[in-house]
Amino acid sequence: MYGENVTDGVWQTVWGGVDAGTDPAYSTCDSPTLRTLDHCPLRLRPHHPRILIFDYTPSSTHCVFQQLSPTQPKVVMMMGTCSTPPPFLLLLMMGVCVGVVEGWGSVEHLARAHSLDTIIVEHLKTYLRQHLQEVDLRNNFTRMLPTHLLQGVVKEVAEDPVLSLVTTRRLAKDWPVPLEVQKQEENKVLESQEMETSDVISSTPRDKQVLSLLCRGHTLLTASESSHLKCHVGSRGSPWLRLMPVKVEEHSLDPAILSFHDLFLPHQLAVLRQLSRPLLEQARVQGADKSLTYMYRSSYNAWLRGPTHPVVRAVNHMIAALTGLEMDEDKEEAELLQTNLYGAGGHYIPHMDFLALYRSLWESDNPVEKLMKEFPNGDRVATFMIYMNKVEEGGRTAFPRVGVSVEPREGSAVFWYNLLPSGKGDLRMLHAACPVLRGTKWDVPQTVSTSCCITTFKLTNSVLGFVLHHVQLVHLMNYQYCTVPFFSWFNYKKFEVQCSCVVTQSPQYCTSIVLYSTALSS
Ligand SMILES: O=C(O)CCC(=O)C(=O)O
Ligand SMILES: [Fe+2]
């Protein structure tokens, strides 16, 4: 239960509410809670009644009321599915309200009708779930609820009395790298490969400590590591991009983390945002307790089906051209295009994007078969994440085990592989969406699956056969449209070699592998 009044001289926020998790009555429109304001104390000041945001979404965690200064537009928003609960009618009669808002579309409609900045409306829609104690109309991040999982990451910034762009930047620049982090750097890759991955949210204390730095824009790469990184213009081996080379920025070489800049036009991004808005729902986390999901990942997301719009198809086409990975949705190689919207405080705690999280799977007798049974479309080879808007502050994508973070830039994208060539998840690729400190963040974290085929074959002939085969596989790995092929499993039994091979992506590649291995084993 919250009931705190906070006054900063300009505007006042009155918090009230019950936790949906602990009060089942709150989760229905018939709830007595909705008929009374007892649990949501509303104290409008006569000289300040400018804004009221009332979250009645059944799953909402809090009732939120805000009043702004007289200079702010007068607006009352009501989020959720209950159309006209009594308290709202009461407020209408008091002349405070301008409309009822049901769902995303209506929020926009209301905003247009009252000439509100739709960006502001986006903020209103999202911040309610972002665990912030206070947010003003411009969505400035001020204080976080103590339960926020990334509390530590933003603590220093959040507790700064004057939270301004300048302050945030200064903190980011001057923040010293703690000595123990520097020391641990030397072993970072080895160490991370040994970590347990039994849980989707597993990250070590060190990961969190590093994250705190990365979210402020630090890099933990050494000067020598950084000196090998380049920015260049290239076509990535794609004939299609030869006429339209793209700007590539290297953030890390091993593992590879690349940014592509100025990739999408503002109107394409606007279309993606527009297509997403009516479909937005609380984002989920695979395997996580549903009611806790928002603690791990506090964004809204929408799934866009490729054929529905030429822009969606164009995006998939661009990803395929840049990565060499196939993006045919019908063949399940690409998941549906997912768009994500984070409000102030919005974040995604450190996680891996690959699916076969459990080490036990790889230690079992026939991991490849198990993998394909559990995840028939294969695992997620890579992630290609597009940033769809300019984030005013915060919202970097951080890779604590690599020691780099990527700034979200409108129209840019970041790309990394989630799997090692063996097909196992690359534990170095733990990453997080740093909390948005100011504004909103829209992105498209598109994952690409292995799909294609598995082939299992035996080589009984000779060691020479095995060596030849190996050489051939390495040769095939360089196949232009098959960036991440794997030959994952070699079991020596006397001179019998059994290979299972999860082959990714290119049908040509699969065919060659199958033909070649058949020839060798016959
Ligand atoms: O938004 C980000 O920066 C990261 C998002 C992410 O990792 C995901 O959606 O899987
Ligand atoms: Fe991710």
Side-chain angles (χ1 to χ4, degrees), residues 171-473:
L171 275 173
K173 195 161 74 46
D174 299 341
W175 201 255
V177 179
L179 205 58
E180 66 268 34
V181 173
Q182 284 175 9
K183 276 196 225 135
Q184 286 163 357
E185 274 314 289
E186 291 150 26
N187 296 326
K188 75 180 174 197
V189 173
L190 281 176
E191 214 180 79
S192 66
Q193 289 296 339
E194 281 161 16
M195 277 168 209
E196 266 307 321
T197 48
S198 56
D199 190 347
V200 69
I201 61 161
S202 65
S203 56
T204 62
R206 180 188 167 276
D207 290 330
K208 285 180 194 139
Q209 192 179 16
V210 168
L211 194 66
S212 173
L213 298 165
L214 298 177
C215 286
R216 289 172 172 70
H218 283 281
T219 169
L220 298 185
L221 297 184
T222 61
S224 118
E225 281 169 325
S226 302
S227 69
H228 293 106
L229 303 174
K230 295 190 199 70
C231 289
H232 60 274
V233 173
S235 57
R236 304 268 303 155
S238 154
W240 187 66
L241 289 174
R242 217 161 278 164
L243 293 173
M244 189 182 60
V246 294
K247 295 176 192 163
V248 186
E249 179 183 355
E250 297 166 349
H251 300 282
S252 163
L253 295 176
D254 184 19
I257 302 175
L258 303 176
S259 268
F260 303 111
H261 294 300
D262 301 327
L263 214 49
F264 299 102
L265 298 169
H267 91 264
Q268 291 178 303
L269 302 172
V271 166
L272 290 180
R273 293 195 299 263
Q274 199 179 338
L275 289 174
S276 310
R277 281 190 185 110
L279 306 172
L280 285 167
E281 280 181 3
Q282 172 69 53
R284 303 265 159 86
V285 174
Q286 190 212 9
D289 180 338
K290 212 167 146 195
S291 63
L292 287 177
T293 293
Y294 68 95
M295 306 273 282
Y296 306 143
R297 180 185 192 187
S298 56
S299 64
Y300 277 71
N301 70 355
W303 299 90
L304 306 179
R305 192 166 278 283
T308 52
H309 202 283
V311 171
V312 178
R313 283 200 299 275
V315 168
N316 276 334
H317 190 227
M318 178 64 99
I319 299 176
L322 281 170
T323 63
L325 299 171
E326 294 197 359
M327 296 289 297
D328 192 336
E329 218 176 81
D330 296 336
K331 282 193 264 158
E332 312 281 0
E333 278 146 359
E335 291 183 2
L336 299 183
L337 211 60
Q338 180 195 168
T339 55
N340 253 295
L341 171 60
Y342 299 82
H347 67 280
Y348 194 165
I349 65 163
H351 64 280
M352 310 284 187
D353 280 353
F354 52 81
L355 300 168
L357 296 165
Y358 305 101
R359 184 173 277 194
S360 56
L361 189 143
W362 287 103
E363 281 162 1
S364 61
D365 278 351
N366 198 339
V368 176
E369 209 169 87
K370 277 209 176 118
L371 177 78
M372 295 314 262
K373 203 166 156 199
E374 217 172 308
F375 307 107
N377 300 329
D379 208 337
R380 293 166 169 173
V381 181
T383 302
F384 189 97
M385 206 176 69
I386 303 163
Y387 299 110
M388 286 197 283
N389 72 332
K390 179 175 163 29
V391 184
E392 287 174 58
E393 197 65 43
R396 298 179 81 95
T397 306
F399 300 82
R401 294 177 187 172
V402 184
V404 299
S405 69
V406 178
E407 185 186 0
R409 276 172 57 174
E410 182 170 342
S412 294
V414 58
F415 173 68
W416 68 90
Y417 292 110
N418 297 306
L419 304 182
L420 294 164
S422 63
K424 289 185 183 184
D426 187 342
L427 300 185
R428 294 172 298 176
M429 298 324 290
L430 187 84
H431 61 281
C434 298
V436 173
L437 297 180
R438 193 190 294 269
T440 52
K441 173 179 166 193
W442 278 94
D443 65 27
V444 183
Q446 178 68 344
T447 49
V448 190
S449 295
T450 49
S451 70
C452 200
C453 64
I454 315 179
T455 167
T456 306
F457 46 91
K458 272 185 187 171
L459 296 173
T460 44
N461 290 2
S462 63
V463 176
L464 184 65
F466 168 69
V467 173
L468 278 175
H469 183 249
H470 194 109
V471 168
Q472 179 70 5
L473 282 171

Side-chain angles (χ1 to χ4, degrees), residues 82-133:
C82 312
S83 52
T84 49
F88 185 69
L89 280 180
L90 187 72
L91 292 167
L92 265 178
M93 280 153 59
M94 284 161 57
V96 187
C97 307
V98 292
V100 180
V101 180
E102 278 185 81
W104 185 260
S106 337
V107 174
E108 285 211 308
H109 183 257
L110 185 78
R112 265 200 302 277
H114 294 274
S115 316
L116 284 172
D117 185 339
T118 47
I119 302 291
I120 288 177
V121 174
E122 242 165 47
H123 295 172
L124 297 182
K125 172 73 183 168
T126 56
Y127 88 81
L128 297 168
R129 303 282 176 79
Q130 316 286 351
H131 324 290
L132 295 181
Q133 215 154 2

